[in-house]
Amino acid sequence: MIEINELRKSFDAQQVLRGVSFSIADGETVAIIGQSGCGKSVLLKHIIGLLQPDSGSVVVDGHNIATASEEQIYALRRKIGFLFQSAALFDSMTVFENIVLGLWEHGEREEAKLRHIAEEKLSMVGLRGILDQKPASLSGGMRKRVGLARALAMNPKYLFYDEPTTGLDPVTSDQIDDLILSVTKQYQATNLIITHDMFTVQRIAKRVIFLSNGLVYFDGTPQELENSIDPIVQQFIERFGKR
Amino acid sequence: MNIISYIGQKTINFFEEFGEISRLFGRTIAYVKDIGKDRSLLLKQMEHIGTGSLPLVIIVGFFTGMVSSWQAAYQFKGLISNGFIGSAVSRAIFIELGPVLTAIVIAGRVGASIAAELGTMKVTEQIDALESLGISPIRYLSTPRVIAAMVMMPILTIFANAIALIGAFAVANFFLDITGKVFFDSVQRLFHLKDVFGGIFKSIFFGTVTALIGVHVGLRTTGGAEGVGLSCIRAFVISAAMILILDYTLWTIIF
Ligand SMILES: Nc1ncnc2c1ncn2[C@@H]1O[C@H](COP(=O)(O)OP(=O)(O)OP(=O)(O)O)[C@@H](O)[C@H]1O
Ligand SMILES: [Mg+2]
């Protein structure tokens, strides 16, 4: 359960979030949409405690991120799989090391078992035979997949995707969407997907939150979003409804 | 903006940054208890900082030793017998030249590379990715680097001292016609263990500060590749300045 209440955040003079409130129940699959620069990534980073709110609260599974101890936050993060906008693979490590780093650092040292897990996660995202390559030798789409495999490694309760299809061609985007769908089915995780890709929204999300001007402007089903006659919503759909 | 408020602002910034570095140091040390969790992290850094710096330290040590013999002879000319070169040069090496020059060279090599590596990780969201896996970047990145530098800097300094002494003797022997016996008798005559240990003691601080500033500057990097370049320079400039300031401060305490 994620509860966000009156969340405000500014960087210097720039107000990014101006009182965002919503909550997400366990098992939901929610898309967060909004213009580039409207604070979607900033919002997500608050939920895993990478940023601290100026005011308001973020509560995950009963822990207030702002007041939780460092240990509580690290424990919480192990329940969260995060696919970064840039994939953010560790470029000094191999694909294998990237995927199992979390498990290794939290005490799983059995090489054979780690290899097995890495192979399993990698095949889940449709890749194989690249365990010993470095991220630099992978394409953008492959990196996103490896990033997803890494996010899945610890069998997270929450899965956060930051723009999984941005910067990818339409075909690869479709494949990534399929991947997210199948992962959503296999893991009974709570999914939060940031995107400005309306195709992704329509295919994957059960609920859409539209951020505009630092506030929640719309919160409803993809169908309701589509049917909305609000001009701002309409304009957004027009712009991003194409791939 | 008038000059007073400018200076005021700079002073505030300085103390804020100083406070942040102190906090970083505290958190880095707090994770020392977990260092056994992944020993390879520490070993890798010790190898990088220690073994990797040896060639540089050898060059710096040797040339420093050689030039200090020449300088001593030049200053002594007509005043003091060259028989005293050994003691003059060795004390200068043990107290100042060995520890400080080693530290500054290491600040250029290691401090800057820490800042570049962590800065790149910061701007490419790899630091955030570590956090998201429930891994503290302080434990995973800062502690191994700071502890490795803290341990390796004195070892490198001992090495530099020895090489510098050899360099000094080489010049004294080949060019100034001082025999080994005269040179090393002279070294021994005014030898104080305190000189050597004082220098090594200082180098522990130099190592800590160099790595700590590299980590601090690296983790605060913003602004892409350009920012990483700036962080590199910043890390070197701040740690070199800190080494000289610390050197003075520690002198007044030790000697
Ligand atoms: N650490 C930071 N320091 C300063 N400003 C920041 C920081 N992080 C984000 N911002 C600013 O906050 C605003 C929102 O950024 P954010 O990354 O959340 O946008 P976004 O909605 O994810 O956009 P995109 O779709 O392009 O990823 C931007 O104007 C950005 O410059
Ligand atoms: Mg973003």
Side-chain angles (χ1 to χ4, degrees):
Chain A
M1 176 93 169
I2 299 169
E3 295 155 281
I4 294 169
N5 199 4
E6 283 298 311
L7 176 61
R8 285 166 197 276
K9 181 72 178 180
S10 308
F11 294 106
D12 300 325
Q14 181 195 8
Q15 286 194 334
V16 179
L17 302 176
R18 304 192 305 155
V20 170
S21 304
F22 61 84
S23 62
I24 294 174
D26 287 349
E28 269 195 290
T29 296
V30 181
I32 296 179
I33 59 173
Q35 276 183 14
S36 191
C38 75
K40 302 182 296 293
S41 298
V42 167
L43 175 62
L44 214 51
K45 284 181 179 171
H46 276 92
I47 304 179
I48 62 168
L50 288 176
L51 290 172
Q52 291 293 337
D54 293 342
S55 71
S57 67
V58 177
V59 179
V60 182
D61 288 348
H63 294 287
N64 187 328
I65 296 292
T67 57
S69 70
E70 198 169 306
E71 243 153 66
Q72 281 172 327
I73 293 207
Y74 282 121
L76 208 55
R77 284 180 188 157
R78 289 180 215 176
K79 294 197 276 183
I80 299 174
F82 200 118
L83 174 59
F84 284 85
Q85 189 161 352
S86 59
L89 300 180
F90 304 114
D91 46 27
S92 63
M93 300 180 196
T94 63
V95 167
F96 168 64
E97 290 165 336
N98 262 283
I99 296 175
V100 301
L101 181 70
L103 292 163
W104 166 270
E105 286 299 323
H106 298 129
E108 176 59 65
R109 296 295 161 90
E110 217 180 297
E111 178 84 8
K113 191 171 171 191
L114 290 171
R115 280 246 155 208
H116 177 75
I117 293 174
E119 267 160 15
E120 183 197 49
K121 303 298 173 194
L122 211 52
S123 79
M124 201 174 279
V125 298
L127 292 174
R128 54 209 297 264
I130 58 160
L131 278 183
D132 297 315
Q133 290 190 26
K134 288 277 180 76
S137 65
L138 305 177
S139 73
M142 282 163 98
R143 276 187 224 182
K144 288 249 161 129
R145 286 163 191 252
V146 173
L148 182 53
R150 181 177 71 187
L152 293 173
M154 291 198 278
N155 295 323
K157 177 182 173 198
Y158 296 98
L159 269 170
F160 297 167
Y161 302 83
D162 194 351
E163 308 208 11
T165 60
T166 302
L168 301 178
D169 64 83
V171 178
T172 313
S173 296
D174 268 344
Q175 289 170 347
I176 297 273
D177 282 350
D178 288 340
L179 205 62
I180 297 174
L181 263 181
S182 78
V183 165
T184 308
K185 286 201 183 101
Q186 277 185 54
Y187 286 77
Q188 304 294 308
T190 305
N191 303 290
L192 204 54
I193 302 154
I194 289 186
T195 185
H196 34 222
D197 188 335
M198 286 308 295
F199 281 86
T200 305
V201 173
Q202 294 294 352
R203 286 195 58 198
I204 297 170
K206 303 283 186 303
R207 177 179 161 201
V208 196
I209 292 170
F210 178 34
L211 289 184
S212 178
N213 243 330
L215 292 165
V216 173
Y217 191 80
F218 170 95
D219 186 346
T221 65
Q223 201 52 51
E224 287 165 359
L225 182 79
E226 196 89 332
N227 297 338
S228 166
I229 50 164
D230 185 283
I232 294 180
V233 174
Q234 276 302 325
Q235 192 193 7
F236 185 86
I237 295 175
E238 291 271 305
R239 289 282 295 283
F240 295 102
K242 305 172 199 78
R243 215 178 234 177
Chain B
M1 207 196 308
N2 71 46
I3 186 90
I4 306 237
S5 74
Y6 176 78
I7 293 173
Q9 191 56 46
K10 284 282 170 199
T11 313
I12 292 170
N13 290 351
F14 172 80
F15 281 108
E16 268 177 9
E17 193 147 354
F18 188 78
E20 269 178 49
I21 295 177
S22 312
R23 243 189 333 273
L24 174 67
F25 182 62
R27 294 177 64 202
T28 300
I29 294 304
Y31 276 113
V32 169
K33 65 178 182 355
D34 292 336
I35 216 151
K37 243 179 150 180
D38 196 343
R39 228 172 267 122
S40 64
L41 293 175
L42 179 65
L43 294 178
K44 204 175 131 197
Q45 290 307 320
M46 289 174 95
E47 194 184 327
H48 172 65
I49 295 172
T51 324
S53 300
L54 268 184
L56 198 58
V57 166
I58 290 174
I59 293 174
V60 170
F62 198 66
F63 279 90
T64 305
M66 289 199 298
V67 83
S68 47
S69 260
W70 278 120
Q71 176 167 354
Y74 179 73
Q75 291 189 326
F76 286 179
K77 200 187 274 168
L79 295 170
I80 305 169
S81 144
N82 271 356
F84 287 103
I85 283 184
S87 58
V89 164
S90 63
R91 295 192 75 184
I93 289 171
F94 293 151
I95 299 175
E96 284 298 319
L97 296 175
V100 173
L101 288 178
T102 306
I104 292 201
V105 171
I106 299 297
R109 196 186 108 86
V110 173
S113 90
I114 292 176
E117 186 187 4
L118 271 55
T120 305
M121 290 183 75
K122 171 76 183 184
V123 299
T124 55
E125 293 188 303
Q126 291 177 55
I127 301 286
D128 287 350
L130 266 186
E131 296 257 18
S132 82
L133 293 172
I135 298 168
S136 159
I138 305 296
R139 173 179 79 75
Y140 192 79
L141 299 171
S142 181
T143 305
R145 283 167 177 73
V146 172
I147 299 300
M150 194 189 268
V151 173
M152 296 318 283
M153 191 72 100
I155 295 177
L156 288 172
T157 301
I158 293 171
F159 214 83
N161 285 347
I163 301 276
L165 205 57
I166 295 171
F169 172 65
V171 166
N173 193 248
F174 288 127
F175 299 106
L176 305 170
D177 295 325
I178 298 169
T179 64
K181 179 161 172 22
V182 172
F183 184 85
F184 286 105
D185 273 355
S186 157
V187 170
Q188 239 174 30
R189 202 172 323 130
L190 288 176
F191 182 83
H192 296 291
L193 216 52
K194 188 182 166 198
D195 295 352
V196 177
F197 280 117
I200 291 169
F201 181 70
K202 289 194 295 187
S203 72
I204 297 174
F205 286 84
F206 298 161
T208 310
V209 158
T210 299
L212 203 59
I213 288 173
V215 171
H216 168 76
V217 170
L219 290 181
R220 276 173 42 130
T221 304
T222 53
E226 195 189 351
V228 174
L230 290 177
S231 279
C232 249
I233 298 170
R234 244 173 82 78
F236 175 67
V237 171
I238 300 179
S239 42
M242 280 304 294
I243 286 165
L244 294 174
I245 294 170
L246 265 177
D247 185 47
Y248 178 80
T249 317
L250 290 170
W251 172 280
T252 59
I253 295 169
I254 303 172
F255 296 101

